Amino acid sequence: MYANPESESPPVLVSIIAALLGIILGAVIGACAGFFAGSVIADATDMSCFEGACGYFALFIGLAGLVVGAIAGGLFAVWRVNRRKRKPAA
């Protein structure tokens, strides 16, 4: 990009669509990984399931994974779209 200032960046709409898809896909992957990690941690630590404590713990970890995954997915998607080889400006 800096070596060739005449190169053209992708349209803003492409970046917006990539960000939305990255956020959605990242959130789904992060939530699934978080729910799985939360349930494994709850089982490994012999957490009490009295009144659903182990379930609430897994839910909390899953929601944290959802947020982290959505942010990381959106950033990665925008970075990936803007990183691709650019077409020369006409």
Side-chain angles (χ1 to χ4, degrees):
M1 182 170 151
Y2 296 108
N4 188 3
E6 298 163 354
S7 63
E8 183 178 321
S9 64
V12 175
L13 184 62
V14 172
S15 293
I16 291 172
I17 291 172
L20 290 175
L21 289 175
I23 288 170
I24 292 168
L25 187 62
V28 168
I29 292 171
C32 290
F35 290 139
F36 179 73
S39 67
V40 168
I41 292 170
D43 285 342
T45 58
D46 292 327
M47 185 177 292
S48 171
C49 286
F50 181 70
E51 293 185 353
C54 57
Y56 283 120
F57 176 77
L59 179 69
F60 175 74
I61 298 297
L63 290 177
L66 183 137
V67 171
V68 170
I71 292 170
L75 291 175
F76 179 75
V78 171
W79 172 77
R80 183 79 175 142
V81 165
N82 289 320
R83 181 182 167 273
R84 68 180 183 192
K85 188 173 181 175
R86 309 223 190 263
K87 296 181 288 188

